[in-house]
Amino acid sequence: MQKAQNNFTVESLISKYRNFVKNRKKADEQLLLALYKTVAGESADTRIIDALLEYADTFQKDALSEEEYTYLCEKFVEVVSYEFTHRNEWFDDPELNISEERIRLVKEHVKPQKGARVFIADAEYCDLAVMFPDCIISGFTGDYDQQEVWALGQIRLYAEGIKSEIVSGEGIGEKYSYTLPPKGSIDVVIVGANGNKYFSQQLFGTSCNDIEALYDLLKPEGKMLFFAYSMLEMAGKVSYHSEILPFRNRIVSEKSISSIIEYEDIDFVTDAKKSFLLLIMENKHNKEVFFKDEKKKKNFSVKSESLCGDILWPSFYSTKRPEKGIPLSEIATFVNLKEKEKEVIKGDENWVLTEETKQKPVVVPAKMAMEYRDANLLAQNLDLAGNPDFENDKFWIRSIKERCILLYGNNTKTVVGYISEIPKTGIATLCPIVCIVPKDGIDVRYIAALLLTSEVKDQIVSICQGHINAVTFPLIMDKVIVPHHSDKERLAFLSEENYKALQSTQKEMKREHKNYIKAVRMRKHALTQSLSSIEAMFYALNEFRIRQNGNLVNDAVISRVKGTTVREAFEFISKNLENMMPALEHIAAVDYTFNKPEWIDPELFIEEYIKRNENGWLNFKSVTIWKQGHNQASENIKDPLSGDIIVPKGTSIHQFLFPKDALEHVFNNIISNAEAHGFDNKTRNDYQIRFSWHMDGIALIVEIDNNGSPISNEIDTASLLEYGVSTALHHDGHNGIGCNEIEDIMQRYDGKVQIVSSPEDEFPVKYILTFNHSNNVVSL
C-alpha cells in the first residue's frame, strides 16, 4: 500500500473513521458518500446523493483532520477499491456476494471488445461491472435496498471510470418501471451470477418472460451467461418452471446453446459445497453443445439437435440409455406427496401430529431395501409416527392412500420399497421420498423389481446425479427407459425375480449361520485362552502355597523370573475375571441388542463422550476440529419451496439416526485399538485422538484418527473388518472379536466403517464412520 510523507495509509484512515463512529451504524457508507461529493464536485450525480442522504447527515467531520480527509480524497480510487474489496467488514450478506468461482467463469467466457455493451441482471454492488473497464454497462440493481445498493455501486463505477447505465430496480416486466435497451443492442448479458437472488424466484414464475426479453437484447453473435441456482432451473416441467418451456424450446430449436458447465460452489443457504450449472447461449447457430463437469473433469459434446428443451442437465446427456424400450411414465405415475395435506395440526403452543396419524407406521429410507427380496415394506418393523424419533420430521409426514412403490437415493445407495395393500391402521412416509403408483393392471412388485435392476437403477442414479427424491424424480421419469414387456413377459420377469429373491435369502441364511458359528468359536477360543491364563496363575500360586506351608503374604514373590508378587497375582486374576464378562455376554447373545436409534448431534455426542472418558485416557488427549456451537442453527432454516421450518433456531442443523449406546460401543472399540496398538511407545507424551465430521451428500461422516504407530504394511486394513481377525486377543474384554464388531454394529444401523492407513501422515490411522440416515437439509 502506498504511503505519503506524512505516513498516512488508506487502510489506517478508514479504520480511524470506523473507530470514531463505532457506536453508530454505516460508517463506511458515510465516508464513501462524503468523499464522492468532494471528488465529483459539480459533476456529482444528484440521484446518488439523494439515495444516500441519511449518510450525508450523519457524516462525522471531526473524525479526520483536514489533512487526513484531503489525503483520502486524493486516494479516492484506492479508498473505493479497498472498501469494496473488504465489503464483508461493513456489509456481509452472502446473497449479494459473487463467489470467486463465478467471477472466474465470467472471466473465462466473457472477453468483450473495447466499447462493447454489457448488460448485468442483478448488478448489486457492481462486482461484475468493474471487470469490464472499457465497456458500457447497463442492467438493474436487484431487489435488496435498491436505491442504496445502486448508489454505492455507481460510486464504485465512477471511481473506476466506467460508463454506467445501470438503474435502481429489482427487475423488468409490467410491474417495474425499468425500460430495457433496444433489442439487438447488447453484446453480453449476464444473469444470476450473484446467486440468483431475483431470478431464482422470479425467472421461471410470474415473470417468466424476463429471460426471453433479456435474450432478445443480444446482437448477432452476442453471448448470454445464465448461472442456474440449482439443477431444477435446468428442467422445465414442474409448475413453477413450465411457463418458460416455450423459450427453452426456442433456444434449443435455434441451436443457441453453446455450452453447459457444471461446477462446484458454496451454497449460501447451507454453507456447504454443491453443484451448480452455467448455461451459455450465443445468438447464432451452434452445431454442437459442449458439456463440462469440472469436478469430475469430464468433457463431452453432443449435436445441437440432440438437446431436449425440458431438461438441460449434463448428466442426462452423458447417461447411456437403452435404444429399445418405453419411458417409465408409460407404466406408472408419480404422486406428489408434497402437495397433499400435512398430518400436523396447530396445538396449544406448536404443531402436533393428529392422533390418527400417530398410530400409522412410517416408511423411512432406512427401512427400504437395495434388493428386491427385502423390498416388501409391510414385512418391515416400521416405527409409528407418534415415535419421538419423528419429532423433527413431523412436517414431512404424509399418508399413503394407495398401493405404491417408494424410491429414494443418494450418491452411495438407491433404496426401494413397495406397499401392496394399505393396512387397516393406514401407512405414511416422508414427502421427499418418491411415490410411484403403477397404472391399472401392473403389479407394484413388478415396478419395484424393475427399479432395482441395474439397467434401470443406473439410469436413474446417473441422470439425477445420485439425488433421487420427490423434487428431481418427476422431472426425469419420462426419460428413464424400461423394457417394453407384454403382460405375459411381466409375469415371467416377476416370477424370475421372486425365485432369485428366494435363492438369495437362502444363501444369506447359510452365510449368517456360518458367521454365527465363526463368532461363537472365536469367543469360545478367547474364553479358553483367558481361562488358561487364570489357570496358570492359580497353579503358580498353589505351588508357592505348598512351598510356604499354606502361608500367603502380599509382598511375597512367587516368580523369580518376573518378580510377580502374591498381591499382583490376585489382582491379575480379579481383572481377568472381570474382563471375561463381556465375552460371556457375547456368547450368550451373539445378536447383541442396543437401545432404539435416536437423532444424534455429532458434535454434542463427541464432546460429551470425551468429557465422560478423558479422565481414563492417561497417555493421550483428545482433539476436536470444529468451533463449539457450529452445528446449531443461528436462525430458522426453511424449505425454500413451501416455507416450512426445517430446522428451528437453536437446534442441531445436521443429525444422524443411531442408537447412542451402540455408537459409544463403536467409539470404545476404536479407542481401545488405539491404546493397544497405536500408543505403544511409553517414552512419547504427545499421543492424540482426533475427532472430526462432515456431510457427504445425505450421509454424515465421522472420522476418528490417531497419531500413534501406523498399521503394518503387511496388514490389509480391509481384512481387519473380517470375522475372527484380531491382533489383540485379550485386550479390554474384546477377546479376539477385532474390528468386525465395529463393522457389525455399523451395518446393523445402515452405516459402514472404513480403516485408512497413511503411514507418512502425522495421523497415520483413521477410522471413517459413515451414517447414511441423516436429516441433511440439502437432501430435504
Side-chain angles (χ1 to χ4, degrees):
M1 184 174 293
Q2 295 181 355
K3 292 187 178 182
Q5 292 181 348
N6 47 28
N7 291 325
F8 293 155
T9 67
V10 167
E11 182 179 1
S12 64
L13 293 183
I14 290 176
S15 179
K16 181 180 180 181
Y17 186 81
R18 287 175 178 171
N19 291 334
F20 187 85
V21 294
K22 61 183 177 182
N23 294 325
R24 302 167 193 179
K25 294 181 178 180
K26 306 292 187 179
D28 297 84
E29 289 91 329
Q30 296 168 12
L31 184 59
L32 282 170
L33 176 60
L35 294 174
Y36 169 71
K37 288 169 63 179
T38 302
V39 172
E42 294 183 358
S43 64
D45 190 330
T46 56
R47 296 174 301 167
I48 295 176
I49 297 173
D50 291 342
L52 301 175
L53 198 57
E54 64 171 296
Y55 303 123
D57 298 336
T58 55
F59 178 68
Q60 305 296 303
K61 295 181 180 179
D62 297 335
L64 302 169
S65 67
E66 183 177 347
E67 186 180 13
E68 290 170 332
Y69 185 78
T70 300
Y71 174 83
L72 289 180
C73 288
E74 293 172 352
K75 297 290 185 180
F76 179 62
V77 174
E78 190 176 337
V79 170
V80 174
S81 176
Y82 178 84
E83 286 281 24
F84 282 94
T85 302
H86 298 80
R87 187 169 70 231
N88 64 316
E89 296 175 10
W90 50 276
F91 187 87
D92 189 15
D93 186 343
E95 295 184 23
L96 299 185
N97 296 333
I98 299 179
S99 70
E100 293 181 2
E101 279 299 298
R102 299 186 185 199
I103 288 176
R104 174 185 65 81
L105 288 166
V106 171
K107 285 181 178 178
E108 284 183 11
H109 298 282
V110 179
K111 302 182 185 298
Q113 296 180 349
K114 185 176 182 179
R117 301 185 67 90
V118 178
F119 185 98
I120 303 174
D122 294 345
E124 306 293 4
Y125 283 107
C126 298
D127 292 331
L128 287 183
V130 296
M131 293 169 58
F132 310 111
D134 299 323
C135 299
I136 301 169
I137 312 297
S138 58
F140 52 85
T141 304
D143 64 349
Y144 187 97
D145 289 343
Q146 303 164 24
Q147 295 291 329
E148 179 178 320
V149 173
W150 171 82
L152 290 169
Q154 298 314 293
I155 291 175
R156 186 179 187 183
L157 295 183
Y158 173 81
E160 296 285 347
I162 297 175
K163 185 174 181 180
S164 170
E165 296 177 359
I166 297 174
V167 300
S168 169
E170 60 179 327
I172 60 177
E174 295 180 359
K175 64 177 181 177
Y176 307 113
S177 58
Y178 176 51
T179 302
L180 283 173
K183 291 183 178 181
S185 63
I186 301 296
D187 295 283
V188 178
V189 174
I190 303 173
V191 181
N194 73 317
N196 278 15
K197 182 168 179 58
Y198 165 69
F199 277 95
S200 65
Q201 301 171 28
Q202 300 292 336
L203 178 59
F204 295 105
T206 56
S207 301
C208 64
N209 292 324
D210 295 358
I211 185 69
E212 187 163 15
L214 295 181
Y215 176 78
D216 286 336
L217 298 179
L218 292 177
K219 296 178 180 178
E221 307 288 325
K223 179 180 289 188
M224 181 174 190
L225 272 65
F226 171 61
F227 288 86
Y229 181 69
S230 70
M231 285 180 23
L232 295 181
E233 289 179 341
M234 288 301 192
K237 296 185 295 181
V238 289
S239 60
Y240 45 91
H241 294 167
S242 58
E243 294 183 27
I244 198 64
L245 191 54
F247 169 67
R248 298 162 68 91
N249 288 331
R250 172 191 164 187
I251 58 176
V252 167
S253 64
E254 292 179 358
K255 301 181 181 179
S256 301
I257 301 173
S258 61
S259 300
I260 300 178
I261 300 170
E262 185 171 353
Y263 64 99
E264 272 201 330
D265 206 349
I266 299 295
D267 179 10
F268 66 81
V269 175
T270 62
D271 198 31
K273 273 195 172 185
K274 66 176 247 185
S275 291
F276 293 88
L277 295 173
L278 168 60
L279 176 67
I280 301 178
M281 294 164 273
E282 298 179 7
N283 193 8
K284 65 177 184 179
H285 287 291
N286 296 284
K287 293 182 179 180
E288 291 186 325
V289 180
F290 176 73
F291 288 94
K292 182 178 183 181
D293 186 334
E294 293 194 337
K295 180 181 179 181
K296 298 179 181 177
K297 297 182 179 180
K298 182 178 181 180
N299 304 330
F300 64 96
S301 298
V302 301
K303 293 184 178 180
S304 294
E305 53 263 29
S306 302
L307 287 190
C308 179
D310 63 8
I311 184 167
L312 297 176
W313 303 351
S315 58
F316 171 68
Y317 295 95
S318 63
T319 298
K320 185 177 181 180
R321 298 184 300 154
E323 295 181 1
K324 296 181 180 180
I326 58 174
L328 176 61
S329 55
E330 289 196 18
I331 58 173
T333 59
F334 169 79
V335 177
N336 192 348
L337 297 175
K338 178 99 179 155
E339 296 178 353
K340 293 187 177 293
E341 188 175 342
K342 293 184 179 70
E343 301 293 324
V344 291
I345 57 175
K346 186 70 173 177
D348 294 335
E349 297 181 356
N350 52 21
W351 292 91
V352 296
L353 290 170
T354 64
E355 291 301 319
E356 180 185 1
T357 301
K358 287 181 180 180
Q359 303 305 314
K360 294 179 179 179
V362 179
V363 178
V364 296
K367 297 296 184 180
M368 296 158 66
M370 297 175 64
E371 295 184 30
Y372 169 69
R373 66 169 198 186
D374 303 317
N376 184 0
L377 292 169
L378 297 183
Q380 303 295 332
N381 183 23
L382 302 177
D383 291 325
L384 300 182
N387 190 311
D389 292 340
F390 291 114
E391 179 63 25
N392 292 334
D393 292 326
K394 60 187 176 184
F395 272 96
W396 303 97
I397 294 177
R398 300 289 190 277
S399 289
I400 298 173
K401 302 296 185 183
E402 54 191 324
R403 64 192 183 95
C404 65
I405 304 95
L406 299 179
L407 170 68
Y408 201 69
N410 57 29
N411 288 315
T412 58
K413 59 192 276 189
T414 301
V415 290
V416 170
Y418 65 84
I419 301 169
S420 54
E421 59 181 274
I422 305 298
K424 291 181 180 180
T425 58
I427 193 167
T429 190
L430 306 179
C431 61
I433 294 175
V434 177
C435 182
I436 302 170
V437 175
K439 293 189 176 179
D440 290 343
I442 298 179
D443 197 318
V444 292
R445 296 173 300 171
Y446 169 76
I447 302 290
L450 204 61
L451 292 174
L452 286 169
T453 61
S454 59
E455 180 183 46
V456 176
K457 182 174 65 176
D458 291 350
Q459 287 183 67
I460 297 172
V461 172
S462 177
I463 297 173
C464 290
Q465 294 184 308
H467 303 294
I468 306 168
N469 53 52
V471 178
T472 57
F473 188 76
L475 306 178
I476 63 107
M477 191 169 174
D478 64 342
K479 310 298 182 188
V480 177
I481 304 302
V482 300
H484 190 186
H485 288 153
S486 65
D487 291 344
K488 184 180 291 186
E489 287 171 333
R490 289 194 196 105
L491 287 173
F493 170 80
L494 186 55
S495 296
E496 184 177 351
E497 292 302 310
N498 286 330
Y499 180 69
K500 288 179 183 176
L502 177 62
Q503 286 185 313
S504 178
T505 301
Q506 290 174 336
K507 287 181 180 178
E508 182 65 25
M509 290 176 66
K510 290 180 180 178
R511 185 162 51 248
E512 287 183 0
H513 179 71
K514 185 177 181 181
N515 289 335
Y516 178 91
I517 298 301
K518 276 186 178 180
V520 172
R521 284 177 177 171
M522 285 305 302
R523 292 180 175 102
K524 284 182 177 180
H525 175 70
L527 275 180
T528 301
Q529 294 300 310
S530 296
L531 287 170
S532 298
S533 300
I534 295 172
E535 182 183 28
M537 189 61 71
F538 265 120
Y539 178 79
L541 276 172
N542 195 46
E543 286 292 310
F544 182 76
R545 179 185 62 81
I546 294 171
R547 292 199 303 271
Q548 300 297 318
N549 297 319
N551 295 320
L552 292 176
V553 181
N554 280 341
D555 296 329
V557 177
I558 67 171
S559 171
R560 296 178 180 178
V561 177
K562 296 188 66 177
T564 306
T565 65
V566 170
R567 184 200 307 273
E568 290 170 341
F570 276 106
E571 288 176 351
F572 173 84
I573 294 170
S574 176
K575 182 179 179 181
N576 274 271
L577 286 172
E578 180 182 348
N579 287 343
M580 284 170 59
M581 295 310 297
L584 286 170
E585 186 176 24
H586 279 294
I587 288 178
V590 175
D591 296 325
Y592 192 84
T593 56
F594 297 100
N595 293 327
K596 284 189 175 182
E598 55 186 297
W599 287 106
I600 296 175
D601 179 323
E603 291 182 7
L604 292 178
F605 180 89
I606 294 172
E607 288 166 2
E608 291 171 359
Y609 176 82
I610 292 172
K611 189 175 181 180
R612 287 194 305 272
N613 293 280
E614 61 185 347
N615 288 338
W617 297 343
L618 300 179
N619 67 332
F620 67 93
K621 63 180 180 179
S622 63
V623 179
T624 56
I625 308 179
W626 58 76
K627 182 180 179 182
Q628 195 169 23
H630 171 74
N631 197 30
Q632 305 299 305
S634 58
E635 58 185 31
N636 290 337
I637 298 179
K638 298 181 179 180
D639 173 15
L641 300 181
S642 68
D644 292 341
I645 295 176
I646 301 173
V647 181
K649 179 181 178 180
T651 58
S652 303
I653 298 175
H654 298 296
Q655 299 173 308
F656 61 96
L657 198 62
F658 208 84
K660 280 191 175 180
D661 55 342
L663 186 58
E664 181 147 356
H665 208 68
V666 168
F667 276 33
N668 287 342
N669 271 281
I670 293 173
I671 300 299
S672 295
N673 285 338
E675 288 181 298
H677 309 296
F679 304 152
D680 53 358
N681 186 343
K682 304 305 179 184
T683 64
R684 285 183 59 178
N685 58 5
D686 62 342
Y687 284 133
Q688 292 181 351
I689 289 280
R690 185 171 64 180
F691 297 87
S692 61
W693 71 275
H694 65 275
M695 298 302 303
D696 182 11
I698 64 173
L700 191 143
I701 311 294
V702 173
E703 295 182 355
I704 305 175
D705 41 6
N706 69 74
N707 65 344
S709 300
I711 298 173
S712 171
N713 291 331
E714 298 177 357
I715 297 176
D716 178 7
T717 55
S719 72
L720 294 176
L721 301 174
E722 296 175 2
Y723 270 99
V725 176
S726 175
T727 53
L729 193 61
H730 309 295
H731 183 72
D732 196 25
H734 296 292
N735 296 310
I737 301 171
C739 296
N740 177 257
E741 186 172 36
I742 300 173
E743 184 177 52
D744 176 66
I745 295 172
M746 292 299 295
Q747 287 183 346
R748 192 180 305 181
Y749 299 102
D750 197 28
K752 65 179 181 179
V753 60
Q754 180 185 5
I755 303 174
V756 177
S757 176
S758 306
E760 303 302 321
D761 291 351
E762 179 185 0
F763 287 77
V765 180
K766 176 182 293 184
Y767 287 79
I768 303 175
L769 305 174
T770 301
F771 302 90
N772 288 314
H773 194 173
S774 81
N775 71 331
N776 188 12
V777 175
V778 175
S779 71
L780 298 178

